[in-house]
């Protein structure tokens, strides 16, 4: 029963070469688990474990800091997943948010008409039988839901397909309550949903995902310049803030006929995944498309009057957007490194050792506190140190196994610093601080430890 359920739901292709190691590490070390696993799972659903939750929060906070808090021309907001369904009529999603699907005439499975490889792969499963497909038909990828409990009073609504729409519907409220002028950016991080047929590749393509979006409102005519500026700011985030290797990042200008229904120009950012280059972020010129449609359908006044020229207009919008789950996958892959045993012979192992070389600000655990032995004369000062460090950083305490093994466990999850309490500590009131990347060890007085680590983290 369980297995049947699993087979029915898991329309997932094999994970591409190079992904297996990350998938396995992520599960083994508490980053990412298969969703609802005790019930046989659910295709393309993943749970972020304790370390995954820390990691995506760190990525999300870094984004918020750079795109909201460090800019005087951007403010944030937090809208609901379910909005008035009219929002999605105005935005064009009810009409245009579609995938072209074809149906296999043998088994009636529906697949994306524009994904040639998947169609070919499917045809092969029918082993030599000639597979024919129906003509492509458009299926809406908005997730439908119903509000209300009584059958005949149920109102059809949608789970949001993007977070951007709150920024359009609340544009005037934000502008006035915050006493802002154009140019003005409004940003939001949250879940969005797409009832897609094509899913897979671990957390890369899922039906629900976290996106970080920014709508930058400007006067018409200033859009091309703003587009270039945000594109540069966006690239800077990937390389300088997230620390992704330059050679693993590229930008791709979308051809005019590949643009979303609202876009005048779109440039996507691609990451070099083991399954090929694919999108992690984008930037679109949405023009005045959304605001104009909301004005038309709602009758609300969403135009802007310039306080100096007194000219009134409907603003243009530049939208940098980021898929945070995909970015988390890119961050994990980029940080993953393997080397031959490097921890010294007493702990030499035969398999390669894994180090996640995460940027310090992204590492889920910043410091591990390790008493050399389980004797109370060491664990007691170690726990005191832990208590003190936890006021500033996410820490982990580990007293089991050889010290070499414990270092390796921390390397595997990307912990930048290990603090070891040994028998010398009792005499010199000092500990050893080990650096993940250089493996250098330094003796630091306990009284100076916080200051020392603050300079590093
Ligand atoms: Zn078939």
């Amino acid at each position: 029963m369980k297995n049947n359920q699993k087979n029915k739901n898991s329309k997932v292709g094999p994970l591409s070469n190079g992904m297996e190691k990350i998938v396995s590490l992520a599960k083994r070390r508490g980053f990412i688990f298969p969703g609802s696993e005790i019930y046989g799972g659910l295709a393309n659903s993943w749970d972020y474990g304790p370390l995954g939750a820390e990691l995506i929060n760190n990525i999300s906070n870094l984004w918020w800091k750079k795109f909201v808090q460090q800019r005087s021309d951007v403010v944030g907001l937090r809208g609901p997943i379910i909005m008035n369904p009219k929002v999605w009529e105005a935005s064009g999603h009810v009409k245009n948010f579609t995938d072209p699907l074809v149906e296999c005439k043998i088994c009636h499975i529906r697949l994306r008409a524009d994904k040639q490889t998947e169609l070919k792969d499917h045809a092969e499963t029918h082993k030599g039988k000639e597979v024919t497909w129906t003509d492509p038909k458009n299926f809406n990828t908005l997730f439908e839901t119903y509000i209300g409990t009584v059958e005949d009073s149920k109102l059809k609504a949608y789970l949001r397909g993007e977070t951007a729409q709150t920024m359009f519907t609340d544009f005037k409220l934000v502008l006035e309550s915050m006493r802002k002028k154009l140019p003005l950016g409004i940003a939001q991080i949250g879940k969005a949903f797409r009832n897609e047929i094509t899913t897979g590749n671990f957390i890369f393509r899922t039906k629900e995902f976290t996106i970080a979006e920014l709508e930058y409102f400007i006067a018409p005519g200033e859009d091309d310049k703003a587009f270039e500026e945000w594109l540069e700011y966006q690239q800077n985030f990937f390389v300088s803030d997230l620390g992704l290797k330059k050679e693993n990042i590229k930008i791709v200008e979308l051809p005019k006929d590949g643009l979303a229904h609202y876009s005048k120009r779109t440039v996507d950012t691609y990451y070099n995944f083991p399954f090929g280059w694919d999108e992690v972020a984008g930037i679109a010129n949405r023009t005045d498309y959304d605001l104009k449609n909301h004005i038309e359908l709602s009758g609300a006044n969403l135009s802007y009057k310039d306080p100096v020229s007194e000219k009134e207009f409907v603003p243009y919008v530049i939208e940098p957007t980021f898929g945070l789950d995909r970015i988390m996958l890119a961050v994990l892959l980029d940080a993953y490194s393997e080397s031959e045993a490097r921890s010294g012979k007493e702990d030499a192992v035969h398999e390669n050792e894994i180090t996640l070389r995460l940027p310090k600000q992204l590492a889920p655990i910043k410091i591990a506190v390790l008493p050399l032995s389980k004797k109370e004369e060491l664990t007691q000062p170690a726990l005191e140190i832990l208590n003190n460090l936890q006021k500033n950083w996410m820490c982990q305490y580990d007293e089991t196994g050889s010290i070499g093994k414990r270092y390796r466990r921390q390397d595997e999850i990307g912990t930048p610093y290990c603090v070891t309490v040994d028998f010398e500590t009792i005499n010199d009131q000092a500990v050893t601080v080990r650096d993940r990347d250089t493996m250098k060890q330094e003796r630091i007085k306990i009284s100076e430890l916080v200051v020392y680590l603050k300079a590093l983290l």
Side-chain angles (χ1 to χ4, degrees), residues 73-93:
D73 56 349
V74 180
V75 292
L77 60 69
R78 214 176 155 115
I81 283 167
I82 299 172
M83 301 175 77
N84 188 310
K86 285 216 164 77
V87 167
W88 304 105
E89 253 176 69
S91 72
H93 283 76

Side-chain angles (χ1 to χ4, degrees), residues 103-111 122-123 125-126 131-133:
E103 196 176 301
C104 168
K105 285 185 179 167
I106 299 175
C107 70
H108 304 289
I109 192 177
R110 281 177 190 160
L111 291 170
H122 179 75
T125 65
H126 288 298
V131 174
T132 50
W133 301 92

Side-chain angles (χ1 to χ4, degrees), residues 98-305:
T98 55
D99 278 341
L101 301 187
V102 290
E103 196 176 301
C104 168
K105 285 185 179 167
I106 299 175
C107 70
H108 304 289
I109 192 177
R110 281 177 190 160
L111 291 170
R112 284 267 292 269
D114 54 343
K115 301 274 176 189
Q116 287 306 321
T117 319
E118 275 157 41
L119 296 180
K120 218 186 275 166
D121 286 352
H122 179 75
E124 274 164 24
T125 65
H126 288 298
K127 297 199 173 88
K129 274 190 218 156
E130 205 204 323
V131 174
T132 50
W133 301 92
T134 60
D135 288 335
K137 206 177 145 197
N138 280 330
F139 282 87
N140 199 287
T141 51
L142 274 177
F143 247 109
E144 290 180 2
T145 188
Y146 295 87
I147 298 172
T149 48
V150 183
E151 202 53 53
D152 56 2
S153 69
K154 275 184 181 173
L155 171 70
K156 184 158 111 179
Y158 306 97
L159 307 187
R160 64 183 175 194
E162 59 177 7
T163 68
Q165 291 305 321
T166 330
M167 281 81 103
F168 297 123
T169 58
D170 293 5
F171 164 63
K172 236 12 201 304
L173 291 169
V174 171
L175 195 76
E176 283 163 9
S177 64
M178 301 307 289
R179 302 171 55 245
K180 288 285 187 188
K181 284 186 294 196
L182 293 198
L184 170 68
I186 310 178
Q188 174 167 207
I189 296 178
K191 284 241 171 155
F193 302 79
R194 283 176 198 188
N195 208 351
E196 283 187 292
I197 295 290
T198 311
T199 47
N201 273 329
F202 200 27
I203 57 169
F204 180 81
R205 196 184 293 280
T206 49
K207 288 174 199 281
E208 62 174 285
F209 44 91
T210 304
I211 46 178
E213 288 185 309
L214 168 65
E215 310 305 313
Y216 197 67
F217 298 85
I218 36 155
E222 287 169 20
D223 49 325
D224 293 335
K225 190 168 153 267
F227 191 103
E228 292 299 335
E229 284 167 8
W230 280 108
L231 182 57
E232 202 190 315
Y233 201 74
Q234 188 178 49
Q235 295 314 299
N236 186 273
F237 176 67
F238 283 109
V239 179
S240 304
D241 297 271
L242 294 177
L244 296 178
K245 295 181 189 88
K246 260 193 178 145
E247 65 267 26
N248 286 336
I249 291 283
K250 71 174 179 188
I251 57 168
V252 175
E253 178 94 37
L254 259 66
K256 287 265 176 276
D257 60 1
L259 297 178
H261 61 273
Y262 48 72
S263 182
K264 173 181 156 187
R265 183 190 174 198
T266 298
V267 173
D268 284 341
T269 301
Y270 277 48
Y271 182 79
N272 186 15
F273 289 102
F275 48 83
W277 288 91
D278 218 328
E279 187 190 346
V280 288
I283 175 163
N285 183 344
R286 293 181 77 130
T287 69
D288 54 5
Y289 176 90
D290 298 271
L291 285 180
K292 271 197 169 151
N293 285 335
H294 284 303
I295 291 168
E296 200 184 305
L297 192 65
S298 72
N301 177 12
L302 297 174
S303 63
Y304 175 77
K305 193 171 178 184

Side-chain angles (χ1 to χ4, degrees), residues 402-426:
S402 72
I403 193 72
K405 273 198 188 119
R406 282 184 272 166
Y407 283 153
R408 278 204 304 282
R409 274 183 221 143
Q410 295 302 325
D411 289 344
E412 277 192 343
I413 61 172
T415 307
Y417 299 103
C418 289
V419 169
T420 306
V421 178
D422 54 30
F423 291 99
E424 225 13 71
T425 304
I426 305 159

Side-chain angles (χ1 to χ4, degrees), residues 380-431:
Q380 197 242 331
L383 286 167
E384 260 172 47
I385 290 169
L386 175 75
N387 264 330
N388 199 27
L389 296 179
Q390 272 177 333
K391 289 174 192 154
N392 291 290
W393 299 286
M394 186 73 192
C395 298
Q396 207 173 63
Y397 178 81
D398 187 1
E399 57 175 34
T400 57
S402 72
I403 193 72
K405 273 198 188 119
R406 282 184 272 166
Y407 283 153
R408 278 204 304 282
R409 274 183 221 143
Q410 295 302 325
D411 289 344
E412 277 192 343
I413 61 172
T415 307
Y417 299 103
C418 289
V419 169
T420 306
V421 178
D422 54 30
F423 291 99
E424 225 13 71
T425 304
I426 305 159
N427 303 317
D428 67 357
Q429 291 298 305
V431 290

